[in-house]
């Protein structure tokens, strides 16, 4: 049945061609707008996929979810809350003004300012150690060794003036320890890790499974860290469209500008989706529609409400 639903979602939306491929990072503009892959991984380890589920793309903003989890694991709930914040800014992912409006607090760990501040919290004596911790942690989530796409990394490194400005602004408010340029470099590397829709589904399913990767059996983070991460994904995962997403779909999720998306059903599993055409906020159009379809078809909305007595079926 799940294979059939994935196939239906793919058939329904593959012809949808609204949106545009991101081109502010020059290397991303080369993405094929036709690519469309879906993968669903259950907490029991079941895997279902359709379309371009094995095409590689850079993880981009979706890394923010998993680096947030690593930071929560390393420095704890309180420190992340106080240093980064856990509220949606209601502004674009690369907003500078959001930092100014909030007295220097990045507020939202799922946009660039908050993610840069989160990356700076990772343990390590220097940037190289922080990067090693990050790459190792995200690889454990995926259950395989994740590597950088050098072309995208270099392309973003040459053009990320805005992220460097954001990091310096955070430093001016004492929100960033260490060298801002080095932290932006680690952040740019994390965004350049190469993944597939299948990897995203495995990573999401690990968050759904109390922190245990359902394919490798490894405990990557604690169940408490998963809870904290999923709550932030619910309020902040789709940038300024997060409220609409939650209202329509009712699942924690995270998207990125290369067209990837992961939607998580706690205790059940996750969908990884990939298609490069983006809406105005930077969320993949086809990925959102496919996740919405699957969430409805599989009854995954976390806020679905039903009368208690209706479930008793006259048993009393
Ligand atoms: N690396 C990208 C950036 O910092 C990630 C943004 C995104 O996926 N929204 O601009």
């Amino acid at each position: 049945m799940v294979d059939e639903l994935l196939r239906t979602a793919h058939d329904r939306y593959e012809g949808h061609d609204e949106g545009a491929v991101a081109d502010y990072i020059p290397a991303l503009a080369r993405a094929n707008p036709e690519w469309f892959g879906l993968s669903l991984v259950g907490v029991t380890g079941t895997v279902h996929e359709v379309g371009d589920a094995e095409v590689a793309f850079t993880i981009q903003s979706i890394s923010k979810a998993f680096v947030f989890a690593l930071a929560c694991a390393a420095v704890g709930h309180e420190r992340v809350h106080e240093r980064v914040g856990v509220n949606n800014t209601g502004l674009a992912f690369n907003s500078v003004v959001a930092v100014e409006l909030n007295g220097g607090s990045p507020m939202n760990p799922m946009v660039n300012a908050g993610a840069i501040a989160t990356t700076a919290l990772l343990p390590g004596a220097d940037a190289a150690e922080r990067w090693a911790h990050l790459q190792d942690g995200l690889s454990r989530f995926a259950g395989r060794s994740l590597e950088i796409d050098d072309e995208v990394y270099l392309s973003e490194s040459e053009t990320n003036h805005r992220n460097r400005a954001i990091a310096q602004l955070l430093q001016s408010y004492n929100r960033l320890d260490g060298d801002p340029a080095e932290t932006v470099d680690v952040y740019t590397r994390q965004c350049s890790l190469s993944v597939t829709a299948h990897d995203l589904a495995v990573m999401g399913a690990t968050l759904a499974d109390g922190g245990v990767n359902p394919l490798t059996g490894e405990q990557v983070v604690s169940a408490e860290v998963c809870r904290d991460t999923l709550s932030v994904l619910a309020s902040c995962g789709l940038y300024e469209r997060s409220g609409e997403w939650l209202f329509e779909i009712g699942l924690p999720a995270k998207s990125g500008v290369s067209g990837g998306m992961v939607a998580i059903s706690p205790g059940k599993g996750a969908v990884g989706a990939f298609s490069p055409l983006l809406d105005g906020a930077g969320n993949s159009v086809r990925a959102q529609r496919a996740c919405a379809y699957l969430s409805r078809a599989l009854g995954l909305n976390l806020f679905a409400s039903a009368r208690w007595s209706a479930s008793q079926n006259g048993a009393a």
Side-chain angles (χ1 to χ4, degrees):
M1 172 187 116
V2 175
D3 280 322
E4 213 176 293
L5 289 175
L6 281 181
R7 169 59 55 201
T8 307
H10 195 273
D11 288 353
R12 267 196 188 198
Y13 305 117
E14 69 179 335
H16 288 209
D17 60 0
E18 301 109 283
V21 171
D23 59 3
Y24 76 99
I25 298 171
L28 294 186
R30 285 196 268 284
N32 179 351
E34 302 290 320
W35 279 329
F36 186 24
L38 298 172
S39 175
L40 188 151
V41 172
V43 291
T44 55
T46 51
V47 178
H48 301 268
E49 346 215 84
V50 63
D52 300 313
E54 294 298 341
V55 168
F57 55 93
T58 50
I59 189 168
Q60 298 300 338
S61 266
I62 303 167
S63 64
K64 292 167 177 151
F66 300 96
V67 174
F68 181 80
L70 295 179
C72 287
V75 302
H77 182 101
E78 292 307 327
R79 174 88 175 124
V80 171
H81 185 187
E82 165 263 318
R83 188 73 195 226
V84 185
V86 291
N87 277 316
N88 200 310
T89 57
L91 293 166
F93 68 84
N94 58 359
S95 177
V96 174
V97 85
V99 178
E100 287 292 314
L101 287 173
N102 296 305
S105 168
M107 287 240 307
N108 176 349
M110 296 299 132
V111 296
N112 294 10
I116 291 166
T118 303
T119 296
L121 290 176
L122 294 179
D126 55 22
E129 278 187 30
R130 276 192 284 281
W131 166 246
H133 180 84
L134 191 159
Q135 185 176 22
D136 178 64
L138 264 59
S139 296
R140 287 171 198 269
F141 270 110
R144 72 176 185 95
S145 174
L146 299 180
E147 302 297 334
I148 286 184
D149 177 326
D150 288 317
E151 190 195 351
V152 174
Y153 167 63
L154 291 175
S155 178
E156 182 163 358
S157 297
E158 282 165 5
T159 52
N160 62 355
H161 311 292
R162 197 177 177 92
N163 287 339
R164 284 184 251 163
I166 287 172
Q168 291 206 315
L169 186 60
L170 292 173
Q171 185 192 35
S172 79
Y173 281 110
N174 292 321
R175 289 275 175 176
L176 204 65
D177 295 333
D179 180 54
E182 282 181 3
T183 304
V184 171
D185 183 57
V186 175
Y187 166 80
T188 308
R189 286 167 186 266
Q190 80 184 49
C191 291
S192 306
L193 286 170
S194 184
V195 293
T196 63
H198 169 78
D199 291 326
L200 293 181
V202 177
M203 296 171 88
T206 302
L207 288 177
D209 192 28
V212 176
N213 181 317
L215 299 192
T216 64
E218 186 185 354
Q219 181 96 45
V220 181
V221 288
S222 69
E224 290 72 23
V225 163
C226 294
R227 177 204 60 206
D228 290 348
T229 305
L230 292 173
S231 65
V232 168
L233 294 190
S235 58
C236 304
L238 274 82
Y239 317 116
E240 67 273 33
R241 301 269 162 85
S242 301
E244 281 162 285
W245 169 265
L246 206 56
F247 189 61
E248 299 295 343
I249 319 302
L251 287 176
K254 185 74 198 90
S255 59
V257 286
S258 50
M261 176 166 212
V262 60
I264 297 128
S265 174
K268 294 184 180 160
V271 176
F274 167 58
S275 196
L277 292 173
L278 309 179
D279 69 13
N283 302 308
S284 167
V285 175
R286 289 187 200 129
Q288 288 182 82
R289 290 181 185 164
C291 289
Y293 172 80
L294 291 169
S295 164
R296 290 194 187 109
L298 293 166
L300 301 178
N301 190 318
L302 291 179
F303 305 100
S305 169
R307 183 105 199 271
W308 172 78
S309 61
S311 67
Q312 301 307 299
N313 235 349

